[in-house]
Amino acid sequence: MLKKLLVTGAAGGVGRLIAGKLGGVADSLRLSDIAPIDTPEAEFTPCDLADMDAVDRLVAGCDDILHLGGVSVERSFDEILGPNLIGVHNIYEAARKHGVKRVLFASSNHVVGYYKQDEHLDASAAHKPDGWYGISKSYGEAVALMCHQKFGIESALVRIGSCFPEPVNRRMLATWMADEDFVSLIERVFLAPRLGCPVIYGISNNDIRWWDNSKVDYLGWRPTRNSAEFSAQVEAQPMPASDDPVSVYQGGAFTQEPIHKS
Ligand code: NAI
Ligand code: 15L
């Protein structure tokens, strides 16, 4: 077991779903976010990811990093720049300096958002990001790959589909990942004897599948939940038109986002 795991973005939706369930991964957690957490269940260190000195202090003393922090939706380039581009640089630079061995980088399905929903992808799919947010996750994956080659830092590039308590629309029947499946993935990522720097699609064991994780069978991750549990309630919703981007592209509504200006 790890001694100390740093969890960035701990005040966000995913952080709040999983932080209390990571007892099997590390002896202790250092939670962090730019936003406060009302009742942190572990040590909490506020930090702006765009501040190199603060990130350096944050990472010191941690063995591994679960990097969830950053802008999580489409925004202007100016809003994304600090948290997602400078922030990822700062996390990996501090990881290199402090000898961190592994990082789980919360990438996104929006790295491949412009593939159509009838296409099946594995880890080797070329990137087709659907906006500046998706591009920031492509960049994060590239930083992680460089740091693996140059410094030996292992990273899981987890292209999370939709990690929410339930799938809430038809697209999410393919993209949903239950929080307990994410927790079991986090355990495998940090506890497996060998990680490397693989792309992993963050999805539950859904009947509807666009993404193939066979290249990471060696991790032994076996998600157990299935979005089909929610099919009836989701399929009771009105059917979008077949040419609506939410039904056409894997990135769904993100493909319709305009270029935001600050
Ligand atoms: P969220 O937006 O709820 O949480 C992100 C957290 O990052 C927030 O608490 C925010 O305060 C923090 N943050 C933003 N800027 C920061 C900065 N400059 N310094 C420090 N912290 C900062 O997002 P959510 O849903 O919890 O997602 C977590 C991660 O997983 C994000 O990186 C997101 O891009 C990624 N992801 C999530 C998916 C999902 O289905 N929830 C799908 C794909 C990717
Ligand atoms: C993401 O990358 C977002 O962070 C999340 O809020 C969802 O929109 C998710 O993708 C999705 O595609 O459902």
Side-chain angles (χ1 to χ4, degrees):
M1 200 139 87
L2 305 175
K3 288 197 204 68
K4 184 163 284 205
L5 177 69
L6 169 62
V7 183
T8 69
V14 173
R16 279 182 281 113
L17 279 175
I18 64 165
K21 302 177 183 169
L22 297 177
V25 183
D27 288 333
S28 65
L29 304 179
R30 177 176 294 167
L31 307 181
S32 181
D33 204 292
I34 198 168
I37 301 182
D38 291 344
T39 51
E41 295 162 35
E43 173 191 337
F44 178 70
T45 308
C47 178
D48 180 352
L49 290 164
D51 178 340
M52 180 75 249
D53 291 340
V55 172
D56 187 84
R57 290 191 296 275
L58 180 69
V59 170
C62 294
D63 299 291
D64 286 354
I65 303 174
L66 170 56
H67 184 44
L68 302 173
V71 171
S72 64
V73 290
E74 186 62 1
R75 286 285 176 263
S76 71
F77 179 76
D78 289 346
E79 288 169 274
I80 286 173
L81 176 62
N84 291 23
L85 300 186
I86 297 172
V88 164
H89 163 273
N90 292 348
I91 283 287
Y92 275 93
E93 185 56 9
R96 180 190 66 77
K97 188 171 158 195
H98 293 288
V100 166
K101 300 277 186 298
R102 287 188 185 175
V103 179
L104 188 158
F105 172 57
S107 185
S108 171
N109 71 88
H110 297 289
V111 164
V112 290
Y114 266 121
Y115 283 94
K116 299 235 171 109
Q117 293 184 6
D118 60 6
E119 294 180 276
H120 288 83
L121 313 182
D122 70 8
S124 64
H127 294 196
K128 286 194 186 184
D130 55 27
W132 285 109
Y133 166 67
I135 288 171
S136 77
K137 296 296 185 178
S138 290
Y139 157 89
E141 292 189 9
V143 172
L145 283 161
M146 182 276 281
C147 289
H148 182 231
Q149 294 288 319
K150 216 180 259 290
F151 311 122
I153 300 172
E154 295 184 299
S155 287
L157 314 178
V158 182
R159 292 182 186 162
I160 302 172
S162 306
C163 186
F164 295 99
E166 295 180 3
V168 297
N169 55 41
R170 282 184 169 74
R171 173 179 165 274
M172 283 197 197
L173 293 177
T175 61
W176 185 61
M177 175 166 65
D179 56 284
E180 66 250 52
D181 285 331
F182 193 26
V183 168
S184 67
L185 174 58
I186 293 165
E187 289 173 356
R188 295 314 305 147
V189 163
F190 289 116
L191 302 179
R194 177 176 73 86
L195 176 62
C197 196
V199 166
I200 305 167
Y201 291 95
I203 38 168
S204 282
N205 187 31
N206 304 329
D207 287 350
I208 301 173
R209 303 183 75 83
W210 304 331
W211 304 321
D212 171 0
N213 273 328
S214 56
K215 286 193 164 74
V216 287
D217 273 349
Y218 65 90
L219 287 178
W221 179 45
R222 303 285 176 261
T224 58
R225 296 290 301 279
N226 187 332
S227 62
E229 298 162 38
F230 303 95
S231 295
Q233 69 193 55
V234 169
E235 286 166 0
Q237 297 172 8
M239 177 76 96
S242 60
D243 61 350
D244 185 325
V246 301
S247 309
V248 174
Y249 293 109
Q250 296 190 2
F254 279 53
T255 64
Q256 289 177 295
E257 287 277 346
I259 295 297
H260 295 253
K261 293 292 171 194
S262 305

